[in-house]
Amino acid sequence: MPIRLYNTLSAKIEDLNPIDANRIRMYACGPTVYDYGHIGNFRTFIAVDLLYRFLLQSGYDVRYVMNITDVDDRILSNAARDGVTVQQYTAKYTQAFLEDSATLNVAPPALVRATDHIQEMAEFIAGLVQKGFAYRTDDGSYYFRIAKFPDYGKLSKKDFAGMTDGARVDVDEYEKDSARDFALWKAPKPGEASWDTPIGPGRPGWHIECSVMSMEELGPSFDLHAGGEDLIFPHHENEIAQSESLSGQQFARHWFHARFLLVEGQKMSKSLGNFYTLRDLVLKGHKPSSIRWLLTQVPYRNQLNFTFDGLNAAASSVEKLRNFRFRLTSSQFPAGSNAAIAQLATESAERVTAALSDDLNTAEAQGAIFDMLRKSNTALDAGEVHQEDALSLLAALDRFDAIFAVLKDDDQPKMKAILDWAKAEGRADISPQLEELAGSAQLADDQINQKLADMEAARKARNFKLSDTLRAELTNAGIIVENTKEGVRWRRK
RNA sequence: GGCGCGGUAGCCAAGUGGUAAGGCAGAGGUCUGCAAAACCUCUAUUCGUCGGUUCGAUUCCGACCCGCGCCUCCA
């Protein structure tokens, strides 16, 4: 089954057709590390992560590169303001980004940093100058000459042909031939970091890093380029212009853009008070798995309305999935198999794959897995699931989770780490819920098991008062005890 | 203004030219010492509004209303 994806360049859903049959080379625009990542950032990164994981599952040999933008105007001016080096300033947020990605189970791509490629950028720009696509202004900045690239606008569907501009739009800006020409290289600003290169001192423009690093890592022409929808213009449009001008070849063949999310029905913004970093949400007591699930619920091209109600609903959904897996792995089944269940497992896995192949329709895929869940639970209740069936269902579930990555119950240590960070930072907004969830491992497993044994003994003796007391103690420690026909079992809240 | 996306149950959200997936929440029931989990039943005669095409439209077309995005550095 071909994987179909919407391609911003053609504005159509197309079969993904890699240059090399079995290999995908993809590049994603990563974060600018000047602050902690917010949930909008992670919506995009998770969307790309789902794509990456699905390509791997589909058998492709995927080379996935993401950049870290560790040089831009904000970074340089903030570093100067704080009296630290650019490296010092960005190290903290780069680290935070890596931690947050891990918290959200984002599979790590190969990372490249802009500041490690300054010389290559200078060479790239020199090449553009040589070919007549770029020019230097009196102050030592370099600009790309859009008039030389007739395809300019092909990604963002903008028509610049009829547009003539007067002198300069912004008199504070450096001089350039046309208002639309964009900076490849900016002359140094007094008091801020700059780099010495063969084209002179200065700092790179925003777009050049991605052209340089993607082409260096993946070749002048590669399969897939991803990012948030805001990057379509100007960032990706400019990348195309630079890259194709220099190489004379098509740059990325397929462009994948994730749509922005809304928060409580409105665009996320600091002024509206609905701006959340990942850490903000965890501090409120929300599990990373709930956040990841909510961010995967709406297909990447649709607007996703991120709400706290939705987050709580997501937590319930994840718990339901985990309960199901728990049931499959902790129950005893009769030997043999049941053809109907085997078929259910197979069909469900196929439905998931078909949904994801259809432009990464995550909602459809999740619907399929919940159908399997309900039917399986019904069969489990009826005792119709045999050993081999349980394994088949488990395989289908884990295949699903190889993409969605929410089943592993590791929220608690992640939340504990963020709690520790928040305390070290002196954050005042640590919720009691986080304290409770992060601390739920205060009881060691053997302590839990001892209490469970005591509780079971009390229940056998029909000493329900003692039994209830012990259950309450465990509940307070974040342990949920389940008494089933097959005996007692427990899990963390 | 230009270009683009969307409006589906209390909330979130798929989807199809042939009569509405899934999740959450809610109600009732089964199971159960309690609890938890799970299952069953119920909850949109209807898919922003108004027209049109069609045997038939939520799905196609048009208009209108509403929300959202991009239009130079926000994922």
Side-chain angles (χ1 to χ4, degrees):
Chain A
M1 184 186 315
I3 293 174
R4 296 169 59 73
L5 282 177
Y6 182 82
N7 185 354
T8 309
L9 187 60
S10 64
K12 284 188 201 122
I13 292 178
E14 300 176 342
D15 288 1
L16 185 63
N17 236 328
I19 296 167
D20 303 332
N22 245 355
R23 190 158 163 246
I24 302 262
R25 286 171 284 164
M26 63 184 275
Y27 183 91
C29 285
T32 302
V33 284
Y34 68 100
D35 202 350
Y36 292 103
H38 57 70
I39 51 174
N41 298 123
F42 286 109
R43 195 232 175 155
T44 297
F45 298 140
I46 286 175
V48 180
D49 182 53
L50 294 173
L51 174 63
Y52 172 53
R53 286 165 175 267
F54 184 56
L55 292 173
L56 287 178
Q57 186 175 80
S58 302
Y60 286 106
D61 173 14
V62 187
R63 168 97 176 125
Y64 171 25
V65 177
M66 176 184 275
N67 70 301
I68 300 279
T69 299
D70 57 358
V71 52
D72 88 326
D73 286 357
R74 276 168 310 197
I75 289 171
L76 297 188
S77 73
N78 288 0
R81 177 198 65 199
D82 297 351
V84 298
T85 64
V86 169
Q87 210 283 327
Q88 286 167 330
Y89 183 82
T90 57
K92 173 181 169 184
Y93 295 112
T94 302
Q95 182 60 29
F97 170 71
L98 297 176
E99 289 170 7
D100 289 351
S101 295
T103 296
L104 288 171
N105 290 349
V106 174
L111 293 174
V112 290
R113 286 174 177 74
T115 52
D116 291 337
H117 298 267
I118 304 282
Q119 295 306 317
E120 292 93 318
M121 294 185 211
E123 287 165 25
F124 194 105
I125 294 164
L128 286 173
V129 171
Q130 197 185 1
K131 290 195 164 190
F133 289 103
Y135 58 92
R136 183 179 187 278
T137 53
D138 292 344
D139 68 343
S141 296
Y142 288 82
Y143 290 90
F144 184 87
R145 196 188 311 277
I146 280 170
K148 284 278 287 184
F149 189 71
D151 277 352
Y152 194 72
K154 69 179 174 182
L155 182 70
S156 54
K157 317 291 178 246
K158 293 181 191 302
D159 182 9
F160 295 98
M163 259 179 209
T164 51
D165 35 52
R168 270 143 234 127
V169 259
D170 186 346
V171 285
D172 294 329
E173 272 297 331
Y174 313 104
E175 277 186 37
K176 42 186 174 176
D177 288 0
S178 158
R180 288 278 169 187
D181 288 355
F182 59 88
L184 296 162
W185 185 258
K186 299 176 182 179
K189 261 191 193 169
E192 292 186 5
S194 80
W195 284 259
D196 286 318
T197 71
I199 61 168
R203 64 225 266 185
W206 175 33
H207 321 293
I208 194 72
E209 61 170 277
C210 286
S211 288
V212 167
M213 295 191 291
S214 62
M215 288 168 76
E216 186 177 305
E217 295 288 329
L218 303 174
S221 202
F222 56 94
D223 300 303
L224 219 154
H225 194 129
E229 63 167 335
D230 60 314
L231 299 181
I232 295 170
F233 190 87
H235 186 53
H236 289 162
E237 194 72 69
N238 291 351
E239 281 184 49
I240 291 172
Q242 297 162 349
S243 304
E244 298 190 352
S245 295
L246 188 70
S247 74
Q249 299 179 42
Q250 181 173 28
F251 184 48
R253 288 157 46 115
H254 197 105
W255 291 83
F256 175 98
H257 292 104
R259 187 134 192 223
F260 270 18
L261 51 68
L262 300 178
V263 177
E264 299 290 346
Q266 290 184 290
K267 183 170 179 175
M268 181 168 71
S269 75
K270 286 181 177 164
S271 60
L272 285 171
N274 65 350
F275 182 95
Y276 300 108
T277 65
L278 169 67
R279 294 172 189 226
D280 291 337
L281 295 176
V282 174
L283 291 188
K284 287 177 181 291
H286 295 286
K287 295 180 179 182
S289 58
S290 311
I291 299 166
R292 179 171 171 107
W293 184 259
L294 180 53
L295 291 176
T296 62
Q297 269 190 294
V298 181
Y300 74 98
R301 283 204 298 131
N302 292 355
Q303 207 164 49
L304 180 156
N305 187 10
F306 191 102
T307 66
F308 286 99
D309 283 349
L311 205 45
N312 293 327
S316 299
S317 296
V318 170
E319 199 177 335
K320 188 169 183 170
L321 289 165
R322 288 181 179 174
N323 285 339
F324 177 61
R325 191 171 196 289
F326 185 62
R327 188 175 188 184
L328 286 177
T329 52
S330 65
S331 306
Q332 298 297 315
F333 303 100
S337 71
N338 174 340
I341 304 299
Q343 192 183 348
L344 174 64
T346 306
E347 282 177 0
S348 300
E350 283 169 0
R351 277 181 66 192
V352 170
T353 299
L356 294 174
S357 300
D358 180 17
D359 197 24
L360 222 57
N361 190 337
T362 47
E364 185 78 30
Q366 293 177 354
I369 215 68
F370 275 107
D371 274 341
M372 183 183 88
L373 218 73
R374 194 188 57 255
K375 288 174 181 162
S376 300
N377 274 322
T378 304
L380 283 160
D381 283 354
E384 291 166 356
V385 174
H386 294 238
Q387 278 173 17
E388 288 173 31
D389 307 324
L391 292 175
S392 305
L393 291 170
L394 199 57
L397 185 65
D398 286 344
R399 184 175 165 83
F400 170 85
D401 198 54
I403 310 300
F404 288 92
V406 293
L407 284 179
K408 189 176 175 206
D409 187 3
D410 57 1
D411 290 305
Q412 185 273 327
K414 291 170 171 176
M415 295 177 88
K416 178 71 165 57
I418 290 175
L419 177 62
D420 290 345
W421 163 82
K423 285 179 172 166
E425 291 275 309
R427 293 275 297 236
D429 55 342
I430 300 171
S431 68
Q433 290 89 331
L434 174 63
E435 297 270 15
E436 188 192 333
L437 290 170
S440 69
Q442 281 161 354
L443 284 181
D445 283 12
D446 51 346
Q447 287 177 289
I448 294 167
N449 286 324
Q450 184 56 52
K451 276 188 195 292
L452 281 178
D454 292 348
M455 189 179 134
E456 284 310 281
R459 290 183 70 232
K460 278 221 171 65
R462 303 195 70 77
N463 182 351
F464 293 125
K465 189 160 186 211
L466 175 59
S467 157
D468 288 347
T469 305
L470 288 166
R471 183 191 293 281
E473 281 178 28
L474 287 163
T475 303
N476 289 337
I479 307 299
I480 294 168
V481 180
E482 296 184 10
N483 299 93
T484 71
K485 280 174 286 205
E486 296 147 15
V488 64
R489 58 193 185 192
W490 64 272
R491 59 195 166 87
R492 297 187 194 281
K493 200 194 283 181

